[in-house]
Structure formats: C-alpha cells, structure tokens
Coordinates of all heavy atoms in Angstrom, one line a residue:
M24 N -44.8 -33.4 -29.4 CA -45.5 -34.2 -28.4 C -45.8 -33.4 -27.2 O -45.1 -32.4 -26.9 CB -44.6 -35.4 -28.0 CG -44.2 -36.2 -29.1 SD -43.6 -37.9 -28.6 CE -45.1 -38.8 -28.9
R25 N -46.9 -33.7 -26.5 CA -47.3 -32.9 -25.4 C -47.5 -33.7 -24.1 O -47.9 -34.9 -24.2 CB -48.6 -32.2 -25.7 CG -49.8 -33.1 -25.7 CD -51.0 -32.6 -26.4 NE -50.8 -32.7 -27.8 CZ -51.7 -32.4 -28.8 NH1 -52.8 -32.0 -28.4 NH2 -51.4 -32.6 -30.0
P26 N -47.1 -33.2 -23.0 CA -47.3 -33.9 -21.7 C -48.8 -34.1 -21.4 O -49.5 -33.1 -21.5 CB -46.5 -33.1 -20.7 CG -46.5 -31.7 -21.3 CD -46.6 -31.9 -22.8
I27 N -49.2 -35.3 -21.0 CA -50.6 -35.4 -20.6 C -50.8 -36.0 -19.2 O -51.9 -36.1 -18.8 CB -51.3 -36.3 -21.6 CG1 -50.7 -37.7 -21.7 CG2 -51.3 -35.7 -23.0 CD1 -51.6 -38.7 -22.4
G28 N -49.7 -36.4 -18.5 CA -49.9 -36.8 -17.2 C -48.7 -37.7 -16.7 O -47.7 -37.8 -17.5
S29 N -48.8 -38.3 -15.6 CA -47.8 -39.1 -15.0 C -48.0 -40.5 -15.2 O -49.2 -41.0 -15.1 CB -47.7 -38.8 -13.5 OG -46.8 -39.8 -12.9
V30 N -47.0 -41.3 -15.5 CA -47.1 -42.7 -15.7 C -47.6 -43.4 -14.4 O -48.2 -44.5 -14.5 CB -45.8 -43.3 -16.2 CG1 -44.7 -43.4 -15.1 CG2 -46.0 -44.7 -16.8
H31 N -47.4 -42.8 -13.3 CA -47.8 -43.4 -12.1 C -49.3 -43.4 -11.9 O -49.9 -44.0 -11.0 CB -47.1 -42.7 -10.9 CG -45.6 -42.8 -11.0 ND1 -45.0 -44.0 -10.9 CD2 -44.7 -41.9 -11.1 CE1 -43.7 -43.9 -11.0 NE2 -43.5 -42.6 -11.2
E32 N -50.0 -42.7 -12.8 CA -51.5 -42.7 -12.8 C -52.0 -44.0 -13.3 O -53.2 -44.3 -13.2 CB -52.1 -41.6 -13.6 CG -51.7 -40.2 -13.0 CD -52.2 -39.1 -14.0 OE1 -53.4 -39.1 -14.3 OE2 -51.4 -38.2 -14.3
I33 N -51.1 -44.8 -14.0 CA -51.6 -46.1 -14.6 C -50.9 -47.3 -14.0 O -49.7 -47.4 -14.1 CB -51.2 -46.1 -16.1 CG1 -51.6 -44.7 -16.8 CG2 -51.9 -47.2 -16.8 CD1 -51.1 -44.6 -18.2
P34 N -51.6 -48.1 -13.3 CA -50.9 -49.3 -12.7 C -50.4 -50.2 -13.9 O -51.0 -50.3 -14.9 CB -52.0 -50.0 -12.0 CG -53.1 -49.0 -11.7 CD -53.0 -48.0 -12.9
P35 N -49.3 -50.9 -13.7 CA -48.8 -51.8 -14.7 C -49.8 -52.8 -15.1 O -50.5 -53.4 -14.2 CB -47.6 -52.5 -14.0 CG -47.1 -51.5 -13.0 CD -48.4 -50.8 -12.5
G36 N -50.0 -53.0 -16.4 CA -50.9 -54.0 -16.9 C -52.3 -53.4 -17.0 O -53.3 -54.2 -17.3
E37 N -52.5 -52.1 -16.9 CA -53.8 -51.5 -17.0 C -53.8 -50.3 -18.0 O -52.7 -49.9 -18.5 CB -54.3 -51.0 -15.6 CG -54.5 -52.2 -14.7 CD -55.3 -51.8 -13.4 OE1 -55.9 -50.7 -13.4 OE2 -55.2 -52.5 -12.4
G38 N -55.0 -49.7 -18.2 CA -55.1 -48.5 -19.0 C -55.8 -47.4 -18.2 O -56.5 -47.7 -17.2
R39 N -55.7 -46.2 -18.6 CA -56.4 -45.1 -18.1 C -56.8 -44.1 -19.2 O -56.1 -44.1 -20.2 CB -55.6 -44.3 -17.0 CG -55.4 -45.0 -15.7 CD -56.7 -45.1 -14.9 NE -56.4 -45.8 -13.6 CZ -56.5 -47.1 -13.4 NH1 -56.7 -47.9 -14.4 NH2 -56.3 -47.6 -12.2
T40 N -57.9 -43.4 -19.0 CA -58.4 -42.5 -20.0 C -57.9 -41.1 -19.7 O -58.0 -40.7 -18.5 CB -59.9 -42.5 -20.1 OG1 -60.3 -43.8 -20.4 CG2 -60.4 -41.6 -21.2
F41 N -57.4 -40.4 -20.7 CA -56.9 -39.0 -20.5 C -57.7 -38.1 -21.5 O -57.9 -38.5 -22.7 CB -55.4 -38.9 -20.8 CG -54.5 -39.6 -19.8 CD1 -54.3 -40.9 -19.9 CD2 -54.0 -38.9 -18.7 CE1 -53.5 -41.6 -19.0 CE2 -53.2 -39.6 -17.8 CZ -53.0 -40.9 -18.0
A42 N -58.1 -37.0 -21.1 CA -58.7 -36.0 -22.0 C -57.7 -35.1 -22.5 O -56.9 -34.4 -21.8 CB -59.8 -35.2 -21.2
V43 N -57.5 -35.1 -23.9 CA -56.5 -34.3 -24.5 C -57.1 -33.5 -25.6 O -57.6 -34.0 -26.6 CB -55.4 -35.2 -25.1 CG1 -54.3 -34.4 -25.7 CG2 -54.8 -36.2 -24.1
D44 N -57.2 -32.2 -25.5 CA -57.7 -31.3 -26.5 C -59.1 -31.7 -26.9 O -59.5 -31.8 -28.1 CB -56.9 -31.2 -27.7 CG -55.5 -30.5 -27.5 OD1 -55.5 -29.8 -26.4 OD2 -54.6 -30.7 -28.3
G45 N -59.9 -32.1 -25.9 CA -61.3 -32.5 -26.2 C -61.5 -33.9 -26.7 O -62.6 -34.4 -26.9
Q46 N -60.4 -34.7 -26.8 CA -60.4 -36.1 -27.2 C -60.1 -37.0 -26.1 O -59.3 -36.6 -25.2 CB -59.4 -36.3 -28.3 CG -59.4 -35.4 -29.5 CD -59.8 -36.1 -30.7 OE1 -60.7 -36.9 -30.7 NE2 -59.1 -35.9 -31.8
M47 N -60.8 -38.1 -26.0 CA -60.6 -39.1 -25.0 C -59.6 -40.1 -25.5 O -59.8 -40.8 -26.5 CB -61.9 -39.8 -24.6 CG -62.9 -38.8 -24.1 SD -62.4 -37.8 -22.7 CE -62.6 -38.9 -21.4
I48 N -58.4 -40.2 -24.8 CA -57.3 -41.1 -25.3 C -57.1 -42.1 -24.2 O -57.0 -41.8 -23.0 CB -56.0 -40.3 -25.4 CG1 -56.3 -39.0 -26.3 CG2 -54.9 -41.2 -26.0 CD1 -56.6 -39.3 -27.7
A49 N -57.0 -43.4 -24.6 CA -56.7 -44.5 -23.7 C -55.2 -44.7 -23.7 O -54.6 -44.9 -24.8 CB -57.4 -45.7 -24.0
V50 N -54.5 -44.6 -22.6 CA -53.1 -44.9 -22.5 C -52.9 -46.2 -21.7 O -53.5 -46.3 -20.6 CB -52.3 -43.8 -21.9 CG1 -50.8 -44.1 -21.8 CG2 -52.5 -42.5 -22.7
F51 N -52.2 -47.1 -22.2 CA -52.0 -48.4 -21.6 C -50.6 -48.6 -21.2 O -49.7 -48.2 -21.9 CB -52.4 -49.6 -22.6 CG -53.8 -49.5 -23.0 CD1 -54.2 -48.9 -24.2 CD2 -54.8 -50.1 -22.3 CE1 -55.5 -48.8 -24.6 CE2 -56.1 -50.1 -22.7 CZ -56.5 -49.4 -23.9
R52 N -50.4 -49.1 -20.0 CA -49.0 -49.4 -19.5 C -48.8 -50.9 -19.5 O -49.4 -51.6 -18.6 CB -48.9 -48.8 -18.1 CG -47.5 -48.9 -17.5 CD -47.5 -48.2 -16.1 NE -46.2 -48.3 -15.5 CZ -46.0 -47.9 -14.2 NH1 -47.0 -47.4 -13.5 NH2 -44.7 -47.9 -13.7
L53 N -48.1 -51.4 -20.4 CA -47.9 -52.8 -20.6 C -47.0 -53.3 -19.5 O -46.2 -52.6 -18.8 CB -47.3 -53.1 -22.0 CG -48.3 -53.2 -23.1 CD1 -49.2 -52.0 -23.2 CD2 -47.6 -53.3 -24.4
R54 N -47.1 -54.6 -19.3 CA -46.3 -55.2 -18.2 C -44.8 -55.2 -18.5 O -44.0 -55.4 -17.6 CB -46.8 -56.7 -17.9 CG -48.2 -56.7 -17.3 CD -48.4 -57.8 -16.3 NE -49.7 -57.7 -15.7 CZ -49.9 -57.0 -14.5 NH1 -48.9 -56.5 -13.9 NH2 -51.1 -57.0 -14.0
D55 N -44.4 -55.0 -19.7 CA -43.0 -54.8 -20.0 C -42.5 -53.4 -19.8 O -41.4 -53.0 -20.1 CB -42.6 -55.3 -21.4 CG -43.3 -54.4 -22.5 OD1 -43.9 -53.4 -22.2 OD2 -43.1 -54.8 -23.7
G56 N -43.4 -52.5 -19.3 CA -43.1 -51.1 -19.0 C -43.3 -50.2 -20.1 O -43.3 -48.9 -19.9
S57 N -43.6 -50.7 -21.3 CA -43.9 -49.8 -22.5 C -45.3 -49.3 -22.5 O -46.2 -49.8 -21.8 CB -43.6 -50.5 -23.8 OG -44.4 -51.6 -24.0
L58 N -45.5 -48.2 -23.2 CA -46.9 -47.6 -23.3 C -47.4 -47.7 -24.7 O -46.7 -47.8 -25.7 CB -46.7 -46.1 -23.0 CG -46.2 -45.7 -21.6 CD1 -46.2 -44.2 -21.5 CD2 -47.1 -46.3 -20.5
R59 N -48.8 -47.8 -24.7 CA -49.5 -47.7 -26.0 C -50.6 -46.7 -25.8 O -51.2 -46.6 -24.7 CB -50.1 -49.0 -26.4 CG -49.1 -50.1 -26.6 CD -48.2 -50.0 -27.8 NE -47.4 -51.2 -28.0 CZ -46.2 -51.4 -27.4 NH1 -45.7 -50.4 -26.6 NH2 -45.5 -52.5 -27.6
A60 N -51.0 -46.0 -26.9 CA -52.2 -45.1 -26.8 C -53.1 -45.2 -28.0 O -52.6 -45.3 -29.1 CB -51.6 -43.6 -26.7
T61 N -54.4 -45.3 -27.7 CA -55.4 -45.4 -28.7 C -56.6 -44.5 -28.4 O -56.7 -43.9 -27.3 CB -56.0 -46.9 -28.7 OG1 -56.8 -47.1 -27.6 CG2 -54.9 -47.9 -28.8
Q62 N -57.5 -44.4 -29.3 CA -58.7 -43.7 -29.0 C -59.4 -44.5 -27.8 O -59.2 -45.7 -27.7 CB -59.7 -43.7 -30.2 CG -60.2 -45.1 -30.6 CD -61.0 -45.1 -31.9 OE1 -60.5 -44.9 -32.9 NE2 -62.3 -45.3 -31.8
A63 N -60.1 -43.7 -26.9 CA -60.6 -44.4 -25.7 C -62.0 -45.0 -25.9 O -62.4 -45.8 -25.1 CB -60.7 -43.3 -24.6
V64 N -62.7 -44.5 -26.9 CA -64.1 -45.0 -27.1 C -64.1 -46.1 -28.1 O -63.7 -46.0 -29.3 CB -65.0 -43.8 -27.6 CG1 -66.4 -44.3 -27.8 CG2 -64.9 -42.7 -26.5
C65 N -64.7 -47.3 -27.7 CA -64.7 -48.4 -28.6 C -65.6 -48.1 -29.8 O -66.7 -47.6 -29.7 CB -65.3 -49.6 -27.9 SG -65.5 -51.1 -28.9
P66 N -65.0 -48.4 -31.1 CA -65.8 -48.2 -32.3 C -67.0 -49.1 -32.5 O -67.8 -48.9 -33.4 CB -64.8 -48.3 -33.4 CG -63.8 -49.3 -32.8 CD -63.7 -49.0 -31.3
H67 N -67.1 -50.1 -31.6 CA -68.2 -51.0 -31.8 C -69.5 -50.4 -31.2 O -70.3 -49.9 -31.9 CB -67.9 -52.4 -31.1 CG -69.1 -53.4 -31.2 ND1 -69.5 -54.0 -30.1 CD2 -69.8 -53.7 -32.2 CE1 -70.6 -54.8 -30.4 NE2 -70.8 -54.6 -31.7
K68 N -69.6 -50.2 -29.9 CA -70.7 -49.6 -29.3 C -70.3 -48.6 -28.1 O -71.1 -48.5 -27.2 CB -71.8 -50.6 -28.8 CG -72.4 -51.3 -30.0 CD -73.6 -52.1 -29.7 CE -74.2 -52.7 -30.9 NZ -75.4 -53.5 -30.7
G69 N -69.1 -48.0 -28.2 CA -68.8 -47.0 -27.3 C -68.2 -47.4 -26.0 O -68.2 -46.6 -25.0
G70 N -67.8 -48.7 -25.9 CA -67.3 -49.1 -24.6 C -66.0 -48.4 -24.2 O -65.3 -47.9 -25.1
P71 N -65.6 -48.5 -22.9 CA -64.4 -47.8 -22.4 C -63.2 -48.7 -22.6 O -62.9 -49.5 -21.7 CB -64.8 -47.6 -20.9 CG -65.7 -48.7 -20.6 CD -66.4 -49.1 -21.8
L72 N -62.4 -48.4 -23.6 CA -61.3 -49.4 -23.9 C -60.3 -49.4 -22.8 O -59.6 -50.4 -22.6 CB -60.7 -49.0 -25.3 CG -61.6 -49.3 -26.5 CD1 -60.9 -48.7 -27.7 CD2 -61.7 -50.8 -26.6
A73 N -60.1 -48.2 -22.1 CA -59.0 -48.2 -21.1 C -59.3 -49.2 -20.0 O -58.4 -49.5 -19.2 CB -58.9 -46.8 -20.5
D74 N -60.6 -49.6 -19.9 CA -61.0 -50.6 -18.8 C -60.8 -52.0 -19.3 O -61.2 -53.0 -18.6 CB -62.4 -50.3 -18.4 CG -62.6 -49.0 -17.6 OD1 -61.6 -48.4 -17.2 OD2 -63.7 -48.6 -17.5
G75 N -60.4 -52.2 -20.5 CA -60.3 -53.5 -21.1 C -59.1 -54.3 -20.6 O -58.1 -53.7 -20.1
Q76 N -59.1 -55.6 -20.8 CA -58.0 -56.4 -20.4 C -56.9 -56.3 -21.5 O -57.3 -56.3 -22.7 CB -58.4 -57.9 -20.4 CG -59.1 -58.2 -19.1 CD -59.0 -59.7 -18.8 OE1 -58.5 -60.5 -19.6 NE2 -59.5 -60.1 -17.6
I77 N -55.6 -56.2 -21.1 CA -54.6 -56.1 -22.1 C -53.5 -57.2 -21.8 O -53.4 -57.7 -20.7 CB -53.9 -54.7 -22.1 CG1 -53.3 -54.4 -20.7 CG2 -54.9 -53.6 -22.5 CD1 -52.3 -53.2 -20.7
D78 N -52.8 -57.5 -22.9 CA -51.5 -58.2 -22.7 C -50.5 -57.4 -23.4 O -50.6 -56.2 -23.7 CB -51.6 -59.7 -23.2 CG -52.0 -59.8 -24.6 OD1 -51.9 -58.8 -25.4 OD2 -52.5 -60.9 -25.0
L79 N -49.4 -58.1 -23.9 CA -48.3 -57.3 -24.5 C -48.7 -56.9 -26.0 O -48.0 -56.2 -26.6 CB -47.0 -58.1 -24.5 CG -46.4 -58.3 -23.1 CD1 -45.2 -59.1 -23.2 CD2 -46.2 -56.9 -22.4
K80 N -49.8 -57.5 -26.5 CA -50.1 -57.3 -27.9 C -51.5 -56.6 -28.1 O -51.6 -55.8 -29.0 CB -50.1 -58.6 -28.6 CG -50.4 -58.6 -30.0 CD -50.0 -59.8 -30.8 CE -50.6 -59.9 -32.2 NZ -50.2 -58.7 -32.9
Q81 N -52.5 -57.0 -27.3 CA -53.9 -56.6 -27.7 C -54.7 -56.1 -26.5 O -54.3 -56.3 -25.3 CB -54.6 -57.7 -28.3 CG -54.8 -58.9 -27.4 CD -55.5 -60.1 -28.1 OE1 -55.7 -60.1 -29.3 NE2 -56.0 -61.0 -27.3
V82 N -55.8 -55.4 -26.8 CA -56.7 -55.0 -25.8 C -58.1 -55.6 -26.2 O -58.4 -55.7 -27.3 CB -56.9 -53.4 -25.7 CG1 -57.2 -52.8 -27.1 CG2 -57.9 -53.0 -24.7
L83 N -58.8 -56.1 -25.1 CA -60.1 -56.6 -25.3 C -61.1 -55.6 -24.7 O -61.0 -55.2 -23.5 CB -60.3 -57.9 -24.5 CG -59.6 -59.1 -25.0 CD1 -59.9 -60.3 -24.0 CD2 -59.9 -59.5 -26.4
C84 N -62.1 -55.1 -25.5 CA -63.1 -54.2 -25.0 C -63.8 -54.9 -23.9 O -64.2 -56.1 -24.0 CB -64.0 -53.7 -26.1 SG -65.3 -52.6 -25.5
P85 N -64.1 -54.2 -22.7 CA -64.8 -54.9 -21.6 C -66.3 -55.2 -21.9 O -66.9 -56.0 -21.2 CB -64.7 -53.9 -20.5 CG -64.5 -52.6 -21.1 CD -63.7 -52.8 -22.4
L86 N -66.8 -54.5 -22.9 CA -68.3 -54.7 -23.1 C -68.6 -56.0 -23.9 O -69.4 -56.8 -23.5 CB -68.9 -53.5 -23.8 CG -69.0 -52.2 -23.0 CD1 -69.9 -51.2 -23.6 CD2 -69.4 -52.5 -21.5
H87 N -68.0 -56.2 -25.1 CA -68.3 -57.3 -25.9 C -67.1 -58.1 -26.3 O -67.2 -58.9 -27.2 CB -69.1 -56.9 -27.1 CG -70.2 -56.0 -26.8 ND1 -70.2 -54.6 -27.0 CD2 -71.5 -56.2 -26.3 CE1 -71.3 -54.1 -26.6 NE2 -72.1 -55.0 -26.1
L88 N -65.9 -57.8 -25.8 CA -64.7 -58.6 -25.9 C -64.2 -58.6 -27.4 O -63.5 -59.5 -27.8 CB -64.9 -60.0 -25.4 CG -65.3 -60.1 -24.0 CD1 -65.4 -61.5 -23.5 CD2 -64.4 -59.3 -23.0
N89 N -64.5 -57.6 -28.2 CA -63.8 -57.4 -29.4 C -62.3 -57.1 -29.1 O -62.0 -56.5 -28.0 CB -64.4 -56.4 -30.3 CG -65.6 -56.9 -31.0 OD1 -65.5 -57.8 -31.8 ND2 -66.8 -56.3 -30.7
A90 N -61.4 -57.4 -30.0 CA -60.0 -57.2 -29.8 C -59.3 -56.4 -30.8 O -59.7 -56.4 -32.0 CB -59.3 -58.6 -29.8
W91 N -58.3 -55.6 -30.4 CA -57.5 -54.7 -31.3 C -56.0 -54.9 -30.9 O -55.7 -55.0 -29.7 CB -57.9 -53.3 -31.1 CG -59.2 -52.9 -31.8 CD1 -59.4 -52.4 -33.0 CD2 -60.5 -53.0 -31.2 NE1 -60.8 -52.3 -33.2 CE2 -61.4 -52.6 -32.1 CE3 -61.0 -53.5 -29.9 CZ2 -62.8 -52.6 -31.9 CZ3 -62.3 -53.5 -29.7 CH2 -63.2 -53.0 -30.6
D92 N -55.2 -54.8 -32.0 CA -53.8 -54.7 -31.8 C -53.4 -53.4 -31.2 O -53.8 -52.3 -31.7 CB -53.1 -54.9 -33.1 CG -51.6 -55.0 -33.0 OD1 -50.9 -54.0 -32.6 OD2 -51.0 -56.1 -33.4
L93 N -52.7 -53.4 -30.1 CA -52.4 -52.1 -29.4 C -51.4 -51.3 -30.1 O -51.4 -50.1 -29.9 CB -51.9 -52.4 -28.0 CG -52.9 -52.8 -26.9 CD1 -52.3 -53.3 -25.7 CD2 -53.7 -51.5 -26.6
T94 N -50.6 -51.8 -30.9 CA -49.5 -51.1 -31.6 C -50.1 -50.5 -32.9 O -49.8 -49.3 -33.2 CB -48.3 -52.0 -31.9 OG1 -47.8 -52.4 -30.6 CG2 -47.2 -51.2 -32.6
T95 N -50.8 -51.3 -33.7 CA -51.3 -50.8 -35.0 C -52.7 -50.3 -35.0 O -53.1 -49.6 -35.9 CB -51.2 -52.0 -36.0 OG1 -52.2 -53.0 -35.6 CG2 -49.9 -52.6 -36.1
G96 N -53.5 -50.7 -34.0 CA -54.9 -50.3 -33.9 C -55.8 -51.2 -34.7 O -57.0 -51.0 -34.8
C97 N -55.2 -52.1 -35.4 CA -56.0 -53.0 -36.3 C -56.9 -53.9 -35.5 O -56.5 -54.5 -34.5 CB -55.0 -53.9 -37.2 SG -54.2 -52.9 -38.4
S98 N -58.1 -54.0 -36.0 CA -59.1 -54.9 -35.4 C -58.6 -56.3 -35.6 O -58.2 -56.7 -36.7 CB -60.5 -54.7 -35.9 OG -61.3 -55.7 -35.4
L99 N -58.8 -57.2 -34.5 CA -58.5 -58.6 -34.6 C -59.8 -59.4 -34.7 O -59.8 -60.6 -34.6 CB -57.7 -59.0 -33.4 CG -56.4 -58.2 -33.3 CD1 -55.6 -58.6 -32.0 CD2 -55.4 -58.5 -34.5
S100 N -61.0 -58.7 -34.7 CA -62.3 -59.3 -34.7 C -63.3 -58.7 -35.6 O -64.5 -58.7 -35.2 CB -62.8 -59.4 -33.2 OG -62.8 -58.1 -32.7
G101 N -62.9 -58.1 -36.7 CA -63.8 -57.7 -37.7 C -64.5 -56.3 -37.4 O -65.5 -56.0 -38.1
Q102 N -64.0 -55.5 -36.5 CA -64.5 -54.2 -36.2 C -63.7 -53.1 -36.9 O -62.6 -53.4 -37.4 CB -64.5 -54.0 -34.7 CG -65.4 -54.9 -34.0 CD -66.8 -54.9 -34.3 OE1 -67.4 -53.8 -34.5 NE2 -67.5 -56.0 -34.5
P103 N -64.1 -51.9 -36.9 CA -63.3 -50.8 -37.4 C -62.0 -50.7 -36.6 O -62.0 -51.0 -35.4 CB -64.1 -49.5 -37.3 CG -65.5 -50.0 -37.2 CD -65.5 -51.4 -36.6
D104 N -60.9 -50.2 -37.3 CA -59.7 -50.1 -36.6 C -59.7 -48.9 -35.6 O -60.5 -48.0 -35.7 CB -58.5 -49.9 -37.6 CG -58.3 -51.1 -38.5 OD1 -58.7 -52.2 -38.1 OD2 -57.7 -50.9 -39.6
L105 N -58.8 -48.9 -34.7 CA -58.6 -47.8 -33.7 C -57.6 -46.8 -34.2 O -56.6 -47.2 -34.8 CB -58.1 -48.3 -32.4 CG -58.9 -49.4 -31.6 CD1 -58.2 -49.7 -30.3 CD2 -60.3 -48.8 -31.3
A106 N -57.8 -45.5 -33.9 CA -56.8 -44.5 -34.0 C -55.7 -44.8 -33.0 O -56.1 -45.1 -31.8 CB -57.3 -43.1 -33.8
V107 N -54.5 -44.8 -33.4 CA -53.4 -45.0 -32.4 C -52.5 -43.7 -32.4 O -52.4 -43.0 -33.4 CB -52.5 -46.2 -32.7 CG1 -53.3 -47.5 -32.5 CG2 -51.9 -46.2 -34.1
Y108 N -51.8 -43.5 -31.3 CA -51.1 -42.3 -31.1 C -49.7 -42.6 -30.6 O -49.5 -43.6 -29.8 CB -51.7 -41.4 -30.0 CG -53.1 -40.9 -30.3 CD1 -54.2 -41.8 -30.2 CD2 -53.3 -39.6 -30.6 CE1 -55.4 -41.4 -30.5 CE2 -54.6 -39.2 -30.9 CZ -55.7 -40.0 -30.8 OH -56.9 -39.6 -31.1
P109 N -48.6 -41.9 -31.2 CA -47.3 -42.1 -30.6 C -47.3 -41.7 -29.1 O -47.9 -40.7 -28.8 CB -46.4 -41.2 -31.5 CG -47.3 -40.7 -32.6 CD -48.7 -40.9 -32.2
V110 N -46.6 -42.5 -28.3 CA -46.6 -42.2 -26.9 C -45.2 -42.5 -26.3 O -44.7 -43.6 -26.7 CB -47.7 -42.9 -26.1 CG1 -47.7 -44.4 -26.2 CG2 -47.8 -42.4 -24.7
H111 N -44.6 -41.6 -25.6 CA -43.3 -41.9 -25.0 C -43.3 -41.4 -23.6 O -44.1 -40.7 -23.1 CB -42.2 -41.1 -25.8 CG -42.1 -41.5 -27.2 ND1 -41.6 -42.7 -27.6 CD2 -42.4 -40.9 -28.4 CE1 -41.6 -42.8 -28.9 NE2 -42.1 -41.7 -29.4
L112 N -42.2 -41.8 -22.9 CA -42.0 -41.4 -21.5 C -40.8 -40.5 -21.4 O -39.8 -40.8 -22.0 CB -41.7 -42.6 -20.6 CG -42.9 -43.3 -19.9 CD1 -42.3 -44.4 -19.0 CD2 -43.7 -42.3 -19.1
D113 N -41.0 -39.4 -20.7 CA -39.9 -38.5 -20.4 C -39.8 -38.5 -18.9 O -40.6 -37.9 -18.2 CB -40.1 -37.1 -20.9 CG -39.0 -36.1 -20.5 OD1 -37.9 -36.6 -20.2 OD2 -39.2 -34.9 -20.6
H114 N -38.9 -39.3 -18.4 CA -38.8 -39.7 -17.0 C -40.2 -40.2 -16.6 O -40.6 -41.3 -17.1 CB -38.4 -38.5 -16.1 CG -37.0 -38.0 -16.5 ND1 -35.9 -38.6 -16.2 CD2 -36.7 -36.9 -17.3 CE1 -34.9 -38.0 -16.7 NE2 -35.3 -37.0 -17.3
D115 N -41.0 -39.6 -15.8 CA -42.3 -40.1 -15.4 C -43.5 -39.5 -16.2 O -44.6 -39.9 -16.0 CB -42.6 -39.9 -13.9 CG -41.6 -40.6 -13.0 OD1 -41.0 -41.6 -13.5 OD2 -41.5 -40.3 -11.8
T116 N -43.1 -38.6 -17.1 CA -44.2 -37.9 -17.8 C -44.6 -38.5 -19.1 O -43.7 -38.9 -19.9 CB -43.7 -36.4 -18.1 OG1 -43.4 -35.8 -16.8 CG2 -44.8 -35.6 -18.8
I117 N -45.9 -38.7 -19.3 CA -46.4 -39.3 -20.5 C -46.4 -38.2 -21.6 O -47.1 -37.2 -21.4 CB -47.8 -39.9 -20.3 CG1 -47.7 -41.0 -19.3 CG2 -48.3 -40.5 -21.7 CD1 -49.1 -41.4 -18.8
L118 N -45.8 -38.5 -22.8 CA -45.8 -37.5 -23.9 C -46.6 -38.2 -25.0 O -46.3 -39.3 -25.4 CB -44.4 -37.2 -24.4 CG -43.5 -36.6 -23.4 CD1 -42.1 -36.4 -24.0 CD2 -44.0 -35.2 -22.9
L119 N -47.6 -37.4 -25.5 CA -48.5 -37.9 -26.6 C -48.3 -37.1 -27.9 O -48.2 -35.9 -27.8 CB -49.9 -37.9 -26.1 CG -50.9 -38.6 -27.0 CD1 -50.9 -40.1 -26.7 CD2 -52.3 -38.0 -26.8
G120 N -48.2 -37.9 -29.0 CA -48.1 -37.2 -30.3 C -49.4 -37.2 -31.0 O -50.4 -37.7 -30.5
D121 N -49.4 -36.7 -32.2 CA -50.6 -36.8 -33.1 C -50.9 -38.2 -33.6 O -49.9 -39.0 -33.7 CB -50.4 -35.8 -34.2 CG -50.4 -34.3 -33.8 OD1 -51.0 -34.0 -32.8 OD2 -49.7 -33.5 -34.4
P122 N -52.1 -38.5 -33.9 CA -52.5 -39.8 -34.3 C -51.7 -40.2 -35.6 O -51.5 -39.3 -36.5 CB -54.0 -39.8 -34.6 CG -54.4 -38.4 -34.6 CD -53.3 -37.6 -33.8
T123 N -51.4 -41.5 -35.7 CA -50.7 -41.9 -36.9 C -51.6 -42.4 -38.0 O -52.8 -42.8 -37.7 CB -49.7 -43.1 -36.6 OG1 -50.4 -44.1 -35.9 CG2 -48.6 -42.6 -35.7
Ligands
FES217 S1 -68.6 -51.7 -27.2 FE1 -66.6 -52.5 -27.4 S2 -66.8 -54.5 -28.2 FE2 -68.8 -53.7 -28.1

C-alpha cells in the first residue's frame, strides 16, 4: 500500500480526487469515519464521482445520479461497475492498495 495524502484533506461525508500513478482515484470519508476508494471518473459519461453525494453505502454521481455500492463498486442502476481499491488509515495518512 502506498501513502497518497492526509485524511484531513477530506471533510467527513465527502470525497476528494487523488492522482496516483497517473490514475484518478476518488477517496470517500464516510460519516462513520471509514474510507472507501473507487475510480474517480464515472463510467457513464465521465462525471466526477468524488463530488457525488454519499451515505454509508453508496455514491451518487453528480451528473446523472447513477448509483454505485462504495464497497463492492457494483452498479445499483444498470451501469458498468467501478474499480474499487483497498484503502486504510495509518494515523492520518491514507494508504491505497492495488484495485481488487
Ligand atoms: S456521468 Fe455519472 S451518471 Fe452520468
């Protein structure tokens, strides 16, 4: 796993986009304090998933409101699934693994 930034860059209940090895990764900080990481570019028409609304289970793309499960990446609205990444916290540092 590699460090990609500080958890303090992400307000609770929101997501932020990180550039990692030329890939755009959306990291979400859930309101329970846990993190999720997915590809940042929406597979529907390229919307910025990190700007989408999240709850403890899903993200809604801000452009057309398609929904994905934040843990599995599975589409909940008939779109292609998202790549998801293992993500952990080491104190305040976000550690990202390879996609599952
Ligand atoms: S671009 Fe994301 S739902 Fe359309």
Side-chain angles (χ1 to χ4, degrees):
M24 302 200 98
R25 73 200 79 174
I27 62 167
S29 167
V30 72
H31 299 299
E32 297 175 52
I33 315 174
E37 296 189 18
R39 288 290 183 272
T40 302
F41 294 82
V43 183
D44 292 343
Q46 306 246 45
M47 303 303 280
I48 310 295
V50 180
F51 300 93
R52 186 177 180 188
L53 277 50
R54 292 215 174 267
D55 66 2
S57 63
L58 300 179
R59 301 287 186 276
T61 71
Q62 68 186 67
V64 178
C65 178
H67 179 228
K68 293 196 175 176
L72 289 172
D74 294 344
Q76 282 203 355
I77 61 168
D78 58 20
L79 294 178
K80 179 167 172 50
Q81 65 180 13
V82 57
L83 293 179
C84 177
L86 291 197
H87 310 101
L88 305 182
N89 280 298
W91 286 266
D92 185 297
L93 279 168
T94 301
T95 65
C97 289
S98 173
L99 304 173
S100 55
Q102 298 297 317
D104 295 340
L105 299 179
V107 294
Y108 298 76
V110 61
H111 295 292
L112 268 183
D113 179 16
H114 301 286
D115 294 344
T116 301
I117 301 167
L118 299 175
L119 190 80
D121 293 327
T123 56

